[in-house]
């Protein structure tokens, strides 16, 4: 019911929101499909998390590029099953361009990102996090722009949802640039820092709750754990920089650090304590065809010929495409 103070624009926005809610309620009665895209450090435990969530008793294998699997969940007796698509990016930061495969205009409305960071490699942690989040955000923004040209209402709905987890009076409201779609960050290998098994059921239970919410739309947990001597569990919007406080850097004069904001301050202090190592994950991703130990003269000659043919085909296809565009404009 419109309020007397509502403008025509307010009433129009309310009507559009109502239609979206009705549409989503209708979809709830049908098969729902969601996608969860896992990325993070190499050998950081992404595959293990997925297999554990799907109750698959398999030995995890290294993910070479981009792998796909799926899970199903029944909503009730004799009702269609919801489907969750799980994508996993291998290679750490070196293969981030493959993110454009799971991030599409068809999947973006029901897509979530899970970033798995290896706590046993603190020197690579912050750099990997930044590279992967920046690269993924760029793919998402490109996809949203493409979708916006076809369906601007859907894009506005996606953008509005990113703010719904925050209250307007949140102390960090002015500092926050929310990730465009749901994002969960998991610190893996926490068991290395404790004196008991990593099979702790409470941690596994929390992980299941998170993934069930992302994959099947179940209620999200609002439990908060910020005790430093326990695994952290912080749902979006339920913590703040003021509560976290300043970096515990006794040997560093924080006043002499040139930081643009609290997050930048934390980054600079962190990198002083854990300097980024001069290694690149790209060095670990070698092309076997160029490795001398796998040299096969006849095969290599044929491979070179095929590579040249492929490049020629690309050039010809590019010329044809440009000519088509030129003819269309006339």
């Amino acid at each position: 019911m419109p309020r007397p103070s509502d403008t025509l624009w307010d009433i129009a926005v309310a009507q559009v929101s109502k239609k979206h809610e009705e549409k989503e309620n209708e979809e709830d009665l049908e098969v729902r499909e969601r996608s969860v895209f896992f990325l993070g450090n190499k050998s950081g435990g992404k595959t293990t998390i997925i297999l554990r969530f799907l109750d698959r008793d398999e030995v995890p294998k290294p993910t070479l590029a981009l792998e796909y699997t799926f899970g199903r969940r029944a909503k009730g007796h004799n009702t269609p099953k919801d489907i969750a698509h799980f994508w996993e990016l291998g290679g750490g930061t070196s293969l981030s361009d493959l993110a454009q495969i799971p991030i599409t205009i068809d999947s973006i409305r029901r897509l979530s990102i899970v970033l798995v960071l290896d706590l046993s490699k603190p020197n690579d942690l912050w750099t990997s996090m930044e590279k992967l989040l920046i690269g993924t955000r760029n793919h998402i923004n490109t996809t949203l722009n493409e979708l916006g040209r076809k369906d601007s209402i859907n894009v506005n709905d996606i953008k509005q949802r990113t703010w719904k987890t925050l209250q307007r009076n949140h102390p960090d409201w002015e500092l926050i640039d929310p990730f465009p779609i749901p994002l969960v960050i998991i610190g893996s290998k926490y068991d290395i820092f404790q004196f008991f098994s990593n099979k702790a059921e409470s941690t596994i239970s929390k992980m299941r709750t998170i993934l069930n919410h992302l994959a099947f739309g179940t209620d999200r947990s609002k439990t908060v754990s910020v005790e430093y001597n326990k695994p952290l569990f912080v749902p979006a919007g339920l913590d703040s920089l003021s509560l976290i406080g300043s970096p515990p850097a006794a040997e560093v004069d924080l006043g002499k650090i040139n930081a643009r904001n609290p997050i930048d301050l934390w980054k600079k202090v962190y990198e002083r304590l854990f300097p980024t190592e001069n290694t690149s994950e790209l060095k670990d991703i070698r092309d076997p065809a160029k490795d001398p130990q796998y040299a096969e003269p006849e095969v290599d000659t044929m491979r070179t010929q095929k590579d040249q043919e492929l490049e020629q085909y690309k050039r010809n296809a590019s010329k044809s495409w440009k000519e088509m565009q030129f003819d269309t404009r006339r």
Side-chain angles (χ1 to χ4, degrees):
M1 188 72 180
R3 297 170 296 181
S5 59
D6 285 347
T7 64
L8 183 60
W9 178 255
D10 293 330
I11 295 172
V13 170
Q15 288 293 328
V16 171
S17 298
K18 182 179 179 182
K19 288 181 180 179
H20 273 291
E21 290 176 3
E22 291 174 351
K23 182 179 179 181
E24 289 186 353
N25 289 336
E26 290 175 2
E27 290 175 350
D28 284 338
L29 301 176
E30 303 172 355
V31 175
R32 295 279 288 272
E33 295 189 26
R34 298 172 185 264
S35 298
V36 184
F37 181 26
F38 283 77
L39 58 160
N41 298 109
K42 285 183 59 180
S43 305
K46 301 182 294 296
T47 305
T48 300
I49 292 173
I50 294 172
L51 293 176
R52 188 66 188 262
F53 175 69
L54 296 175
D55 290 323
R56 294 183 183 174
D57 187 16
E58 303 174 20
V59 177
K61 298 179 181 178
T63 303
L64 299 179
L66 184 68
E67 295 194 4
Y68 167 82
T69 189
F70 68 94
R72 292 177 178 173
R73 182 175 183 270
K75 291 177 287 189
H77 186 62
N78 292 330
T79 59
K81 292 184 178 180
D82 288 340
I83 300 173
H85 305 280
F86 295 94
W87 296 89
E88 181 188 354
L89 180 69
T93 61
S94 63
L95 301 174
S96 57
D97 283 346
L98 293 178
Q100 61 188 308
I101 296 176
I103 301 174
T104 67
I105 58 174
D106 295 321
S107 68
I108 194 72
R109 284 196 73 238
R110 300 196 178 279
L111 174 68
S112 301
I113 304 295
V114 176
L115 175 61
V116 181
L117 299 174
D118 188 344
L119 298 178
S120 69
K121 300 176 181 178
N123 297 84
D124 296 333
L125 190 147
W126 199 292
T127 300
S128 296
M129 176 184 70
E130 275 195 332
K131 287 183 178 179
L132 289 168
L133 288 184
I134 291 173
T136 304
R137 183 190 281 260
N138 289 339
H139 283 301
I140 292 170
N141 287 335
T142 299
T143 303
L144 288 176
N145 290 336
E146 183 181 353
L147 177 61
R149 291 191 287 269
K150 302 177 180 179
D151 188 352
S152 59
I153 294 178
N154 253 333
V155 172
N156 288 333
D157 182 48
I158 293 172
K159 291 180 179 179
Q160 288 176 7
R161 277 187 295 170
T162 62
W163 289 98
K164 285 185 177 180
T165 55
L166 284 178
Q167 297 295 326
R168 182 72 188 185
N169 60 352
H170 192 282
D172 299 331
W173 181 272
E174 300 297 332
L175 297 172
I176 293 175
D177 178 18
F179 204 74
I181 61 176
L183 166 69
V184 170
I185 300 177
I186 296 177
S188 64
K189 303 185 182 179
Y190 174 79
D191 56 296
I192 293 175
F193 305 99
Q194 54 187 6
F195 301 102
F196 51 90
S197 171
N198 65 340
K199 308 288 185 183
E201 288 303 319
S202 61
T203 305
I204 294 171
S205 176
K206 289 176 180 177
M207 182 199 72
R208 284 187 177 278
T209 300
I210 294 172
L211 295 185
N212 268 314
H213 171 66
L214 299 180
F216 300 112
T218 59
D219 293 338
R220 74 186 191 106
S221 175
K222 293 186 178 180
T223 301
V224 181
S225 177
V226 292
E227 296 183 41
Y228 71 91
N229 59 346
K230 294 182 179 180
L232 298 178
F233 188 82
V234 187
L238 297 184
D239 202 356
S240 68
L241 290 169
S242 58
L243 292 176
I244 294 173
S246 300
E251 299 178 1
V252 179
D253 186 351
L254 298 181
K256 294 182 179 180
I257 298 178
N258 183 21
R260 296 165 296 181
N261 51 55
I263 297 176
D264 192 35
L265 176 63
W266 269 93
K267 174 187 175 181
K268 291 182 176 180
V269 172
Y270 182 91
E271 290 181 338
R272 287 193 181 192
L273 295 174
F274 302 103
T276 303
E277 296 177 351
N278 294 322
T279 58
S280 172
E281 288 181 321
L282 287 171
K283 295 179 181 178
D284 297 327
I285 308 296
R286 297 187 177 91
D287 184 352
K290 298 178 182 179
D291 194 323
Q293 67 175 321
Y294 300 124
E296 292 285 349
E298 294 182 0
V299 175
D300 293 342
T301 300
M302 182 61 68
R303 170 66 184 269
T304 301
Q305 179 183 336
K306 293 300 179 183
D307 286 344
Q308 292 172 348
E309 292 175 0
L310 176 60
E311 289 303 316
Q312 184 62 44
Y313 172 79
K314 288 179 180 179
R315 287 193 290 269
N316 292 339
S318 177
K319 291 179 182 178
S320 300
W321 177 247
K322 290 178 181 177
E323 290 171 1
M324 288 173 63
Q325 289 181 318
F326 177 77
D327 293 340
T328 301
R329 287 196 297 271
R330 287 194 302 178

